Amino acid sequence: MQRVLMVCLGNICRSPLAEGILQSKVNPNDVFVDSAGTAAYHVGNKPDERSIAVAAKYKLNIKNQSARKFTVRDFDDFDLIYAMDESNYHNILSLARNANDELKVSMILNEINPNSNQSVPDPYYGGNQGFENVYQMLDEACEIISKKL
Ligand code: 4NP
């Protein structure tokens, strides 16, 4: 069983979509997918309605997810940890205890463009087009990830 964690800031917009998209592309007997946020503002909340809507447009149900905060234990519980943006990446790495923890962490769009360190833009303060854009980026990245798992 491979374990993959998707991480953004609030765990209500980007990483819930990444979790739902990757889950839809893998065999649940082989791969466990979860998501978390580096901040605690939205702990216990379901995903943002705009993420729920764009997921539903592509036949994915993410509305039963509940936001949680990333913790140092996630380094033990997961094999791969994908940060949505550079800020998330640095916040996760600041909690790493050793090189083994650090090696698990990468920026998700580097799956599409290696070493480019591009960020999935935070759609929280924008409109629906931002969520569509995030969906398309994450779908492309998760397609590549699913083939490597
Ligand atoms: P996310 O988006 O990190 O993709 O879940 C955000 C959600 C909430 C906030 C910022 C980003 N916020 O500031 O409350």
Side-chain angles (χ1 to χ4, degrees):
M1 172 70 78
Q2 298 232 61
R3 298 161 302 175
V4 182
L5 184 66
M6 303 297 192
V7 182
C8 62
L9 177 62
N11 192 207
I12 56 166
C13 296
R14 292 165 291 178
S15 60
L17 276 173
E19 174 186 337
I21 293 167
L22 184 60
Q23 243 163 19
S24 75
K25 295 179 187 289
V26 297
N27 182 336
N29 295 318
D30 299 334
V31 183
F32 174 71
V33 189
D34 193 14
S35 64
T38 58
Y41 325 124
H42 298 282
V43 168
N45 293 358
K46 66 184 171 64
D48 187 285
E49 291 298 339
R50 295 163 295 176
S51 283
I52 291 174
V54 76
K57 177 179 171 188
Y58 295 102
K59 312 285 181 227
L60 299 179
N61 175 7
I62 64 165
K63 65 175 186 285
N64 297 322
Q65 293 184 29
S66 171
R68 70 171 179 88
K69 190 170 190 289
F70 179 85
T71 74
V72 75
R73 258 201 60 179
D74 288 314
F75 288 114
D76 299 321
D77 293 344
F78 292 90
D79 305 300
L80 294 170
I81 299 171
Y82 285 109
M84 299 296 119
D85 69 28
E86 211 151 13
S87 159
N88 313 144
Y89 180 73
H90 291 297
N91 286 329
I92 297 164
L93 279 188
S94 72
L95 296 172
R97 299 155 300 185
N98 52 49
N100 189 47
D101 286 354
E102 287 173 5
L103 280 172
K104 296 182 175 186
V105 189
S106 61
M107 289 185 61
I108 194 164
L109 294 185
N110 280 356
E111 295 290 341
I112 303 173
N113 297 308
N115 306 313
S116 64
N117 297 333
Q118 287 169 314
S119 290
V120 179
D122 183 346
Y124 188 63
Y125 293 105
N128 290 334
Q129 186 56 42
F131 284 78
E132 177 72 34
N133 187 31
V134 164
Y135 184 94
Q136 295 302 336
M137 289 178 185
L138 291 177
D139 189 57
E140 187 177 352
C142 288
E143 186 66 25
I144 297 168
I145 294 168
S146 71
K147 299 218 161 87
K148 299 206 299 200
L149 291 172

